[in-house]
Amino acid sequence: MTGDHDRTTSRSVRVLGAPLDLGANRRGVDMGPSAIRYADIEAELAAAGVDCTDAGDLDVPRLETSSAASRESTGNAKYLDEIGRVTETLATEVAGTIDDGAVPLVLGGDHAVAMGSMFGAARNAEDGIGVIWFDAHGDYNTPETSPSGNVHGMPLAAAHGRGEFADVEWAETPAVSEENTVLVGIRSLDDEERAALRESEATVFTMREIDERGITAVVEDALEIATDGVDGIHVSLDLDWLDPTVVPGVGTPVRGGVNYREAHAALELVAERDREAELLRSIDVVEVNPILDRDNRTAEVAAELAASAFGKRIL
């Protein structure tokens, strides 16, 4: 879908592909970065007035070359050693991109890549960073509480140093405070994950809040909380945040998500706040699985939403 942009100053964006699938329970998400590029994300970003460069994909370990022993590397967390190495590499790339004056746009891969995105975005952030987590899930499990052991359900808990992630050098990110973390559109939580979020100082807006108050009011509140007293924000967009009728190509679909227009409105609000103060420090777009998709529809939506976050307007 096309649209105009009204940004007075263009942002520079560097695309970083992170084709990781070791954190997920279904194969295919490693092809997500390629699918989003095939959906012509560069043209979408150009329509937003963005100066975009593509740094290509990180070299990540593949399931076929991962050792069976790594499944038990930390409690119930599968492939945690390999994912940790990817996290460190991605964090360095993200931090370097910010140092170069560009905004890193990380294309996943599964949501475990967000650990690297946040870790890198928080580097050299004296006042810390806020996080807005657009997702159907809380991603607040730890190796001890996870029913599946899949690390893509743990990145936010890792950043907050929860459970076994406490003091793990590449996981816990003290500059990502719970008080400046906001989860938006949540509708599927495990029991222990729900308890941990209730006990935390993170803010959770479920789909019920969106239903009752509307997407604009909820996202405006999320932005106020996430941007309070920090150097900038990281935005993490899991495509399963949207209803699966809109984005069929995701590995963990949950009915009752936001619709196409609500998703764009949310990301447009992010762009408006960024236009005012350049608060968008980094963004990742994750969990596009082309094997499960139809006609690359989910990747196309991912590319369009990324462009909305940088100022492209539909209306």
Side-chain angles (χ1 to χ4, degrees):
M1 189 169 285
T2 59
D4 297 324
H5 65 88
D6 57 0
R7 183 183 289 279
T8 55
T9 57
S10 175
R11 300 297 301 273
S12 295
V13 173
R14 182 178 297 166
V15 174
L16 302 170
L20 181 73
D21 72 347
L22 295 180
N25 61 347
R26 302 181 77 169
R27 304 303 306 277
V29 74
D30 57 315
M31 296 184 286
S34 294
I36 298 171
R37 289 186 177 101
Y38 185 74
D40 210 353
I41 190 170
E42 288 195 39
E44 293 288 341
L45 292 170
V50 167
D51 177 19
C52 176
T53 59
D54 193 331
D57 286 348
L58 273 66
D59 184 16
V60 304
R62 303 291 178 176
L63 180 64
E64 292 77 10
T65 58
S66 297
S67 66
S70 67
R71 287 178 176 267
E72 302 174 359
S73 58
T74 301
N76 188 39
K78 300 173 185 175
Y79 307 110
L80 196 62
D81 289 342
E82 287 92 337
I83 292 170
R85 289 193 289 272
V86 173
T87 294
E88 292 176 314
T89 301
L90 179 58
T92 298
E93 293 294 328
V94 167
T97 297
I98 294 171
D99 290 343
D100 291 340
V103 180
L105 168 56
V106 178
L107 306 180
D110 67 62
H111 215 160
V113 305
M115 291 188 290
S117 302
M118 289 185 286
F119 196 88
R123 194 174 295 172
N124 302 324
E126 294 183 4
D127 294 320
I129 65 169
V131 172
I132 298 183
W133 201 264
F134 294 113
D135 202 329
H137 308 88
D139 294 345
Y140 218 64
N141 274 303
T142 65
E144 183 180 18
T145 67
S146 172
S148 67
N150 296 321
V151 179
H152 72 163
M154 307 181 194
L156 202 49
H160 288 169
R162 289 265 161 177
E164 293 153 272
F165 289 115
D167 302 321
V168 175
E169 185 175 348
W170 54 262
E172 183 178 10
T173 310
V176 176
S177 73
E178 293 182 11
E179 296 90 339
N180 292 110
T181 298
V182 190
L183 296 81
V184 179
I186 304 302
R187 56 192 188 278
S188 177
L189 295 170
D190 298 313
D191 289 343
E192 292 191 60
E193 185 181 32
R194 182 182 295 108
L197 279 168
R198 283 175 174 166
E199 182 240 335
S200 79
E201 295 184 59
T203 300
V204 181
F205 293 116
T206 67
M207 279 304 302
R208 177 169 178 171
E209 275 89 0
I210 293 174
D211 291 339
E212 293 177 346
R213 300 175 53 214
I215 191 69
T216 298
V218 169
V219 175
E220 284 178 344
D221 284 354
L223 284 163
E224 287 299 319
I225 296 165
T227 60
D228 185 21
V230 297
D231 288 339
I233 62 171
H234 171 72
V235 171
S236 194
L237 173 62
D238 187 323
L239 267 292
D240 70 24
W241 181 52
L242 286 83
D243 193 84
T245 57
V246 182
V247 288
V250 296
T252 50
V254 183
R255 289 181 290 185
V258 299
N259 63 34
Y260 179 77
R261 183 60 216 144
E262 287 173 325
H264 274 288
L267 275 300
E268 287 168 6
L269 288 169
V270 171
E272 288 176 9
R273 184 61 63 91
D274 183 56
R275 186 180 300 112
E276 295 169 4
E278 292 200 353
L279 283 168
L280 183 58
R281 196 166 174 92
S282 56
I283 180 170
D284 50 48
V285 179
V286 302
E287 298 285 357
V288 173
N289 191 326
I291 291 177
L292 305 174
D293 207 2
R294 299 172 193 158
D295 302 321
N296 213 37
R297 187 191 311 171
T298 304
E300 290 174 355
V301 172
E304 293 170 3
L305 290 175
S308 284
F310 288 102
K312 185 179 178 183
R313 308 297 294 269
I314 292 179
L315 298 175

